[in-house]
Amino acid sequence: MLAQKPGRAKLDALRREMEAFDPVASETAALIARFLWGARGEHGSVVYDLIPSRERALQGMLGLTDAEARELSDLVRKTLPKDAPLEMDYAGRAGTRANLASREMAEKLDIIRNPGSTFGGIAAGVIGVLGGTASDMRAAAQAGSLLEVGGGVISARGAANPQVTPRAGAAYGPPRTEAAADKAAVRRPIAGATEVTVTQAEYQAALNQVLPSQFRNQVAQAVDSIGQRAAQRAAANPQFVGAVQSGNWRLAGTLFHSAAAQEARALPASALPPGWTLQAERVIQSGAGGSRADLLLTGPAGELVEFDWKTSGTSALTSAARREMARHAGQITTNIGGTLTTQESRSWMDLVRPLMPGIRWP
């Protein structure tokens, strides 16, 4: 078997550690990207162009072939924000896609807040929910205002007409009492369901968890607390804030993983059930094709629980993410042993979102 060339070994090592969300590898890749790719643009737009002379210089320094040099350039390009060229939308406005979307949303909100009439606001809101543009919503608001004006005239005429009589078939009688309304609101028991009674304080605490149904699961409580504190730590990090504001979700995810690992290692043993231990960034299998667990908990009877930080709930359901978790499960069984009882994902973006209002999240 031929030995790897030095350049190929360095390239493969960088790729492997980036895929494992290693902070040093991510920072190194970002530094290389800023060296290789130049930004240009105006009016808020930005497009990144590869600088051939710098690519050749780095190629010589690292001992890469032409193909390996281009592979490195493409690899580190992922750490930079996506290109945001100037575009023109349906209304003839010019700007970047994000800028146009922001202006469109601002116009929609302005229509809802200042529709001219209640009917206009309702009509515009419904059109917006159905996917209409700001122009569609404005037209709906105007139509709703006309309808409200017409309805007001009709109502006035009816009130002034002494011959108006009750509609046939209408129900009359005393208003329903509050007790009667409460009684009608009581739901019938669900067959096979177990009713759990909680205090108001327990109910509020449950709502603070990612999955309220796990409010009595001490392991899930500990993981949620790690995620919440990691979100606070990340939101206080200017580098993380900059990555989020520029839409560099890969870098933001790397920085959140680092914050979560720090919080996990600082978690007191008392936060876990008796006999349980927690490891952050546990290497399950090293080398190519290997993996690591963001959080791996071990119980007193050898049970294992894995938690994985994902960008969003949707990303956790992709086929690639499911294959990744299946690979983790197989490697845990082979290299660690025990009984893997649970694998769960948590969206770091959902944890950070309340702390960073004003961000256009994907």
Side-chain angles (χ1 to χ4, degrees), residues 264-326:
R265 292 175 181 128
L267 188 75
S270 59
L272 296 172
W276 281 79
T277 59
L278 167 65
Q279 292 176 291
E281 300 293 333
R282 165 67 190 270
V283 175
I284 303 172
Q285 180 173 308
S286 59
S291 60
R292 73 174 69 190
D294 294 337
L295 297 176
L296 188 65
L297 297 103
T298 306
E303 59 266 53
L304 295 169
V305 177
E306 180 188 9
F307 284 88
D308 189 56
W309 303 116
K310 284 286 187 272
T311 305
S312 65
T314 302
S315 67
L317 296 175
T318 63
S319 56
R322 294 198 299 270
R323 286 195 301 269
E324 178 187 34
M325 295 302 272

Side-chain angles (χ1 to χ4, degrees), residues 57 73 111 151 183 192 201 215 228 274 302 317:
S73 298
I111 294 170
K183 183 177 180 180
F215 77 103
Q228 290 165 2
L317 296 175

Side-chain angles (χ1 to χ4, degrees), residues 32 35-36 54-64 72:
I32 295 174
F35 175 75
L36 291 177
R54 294 187 177 184
E55 184 183 59
R56 288 192 297 270
L58 196 61
Q59 175 183 352
M61 184 179 74
L62 298 178
L64 303 173
L72 174 63

Side-chain angles (χ1 to χ4, degrees), residues 243-244 247-254 311 348-349 359-362:
V244 169
N248 191 344
W249 305 117
R250 184 182 183 89
L251 177 58
T254 298
T311 305
W348 65 260
M349 192 175 286
I359 298 296
R360 186 171 179 80
W361 301 91

Side-chain angles (χ1 to χ4, degrees), residues 170-190:
Y172 297 92
R176 294 177 65 187
T177 64
E178 185 176 343
D182 290 342
K183 183 177 180 180
V186 174
R187 296 182 179 180
R188 295 179 179 177
I190 300 174

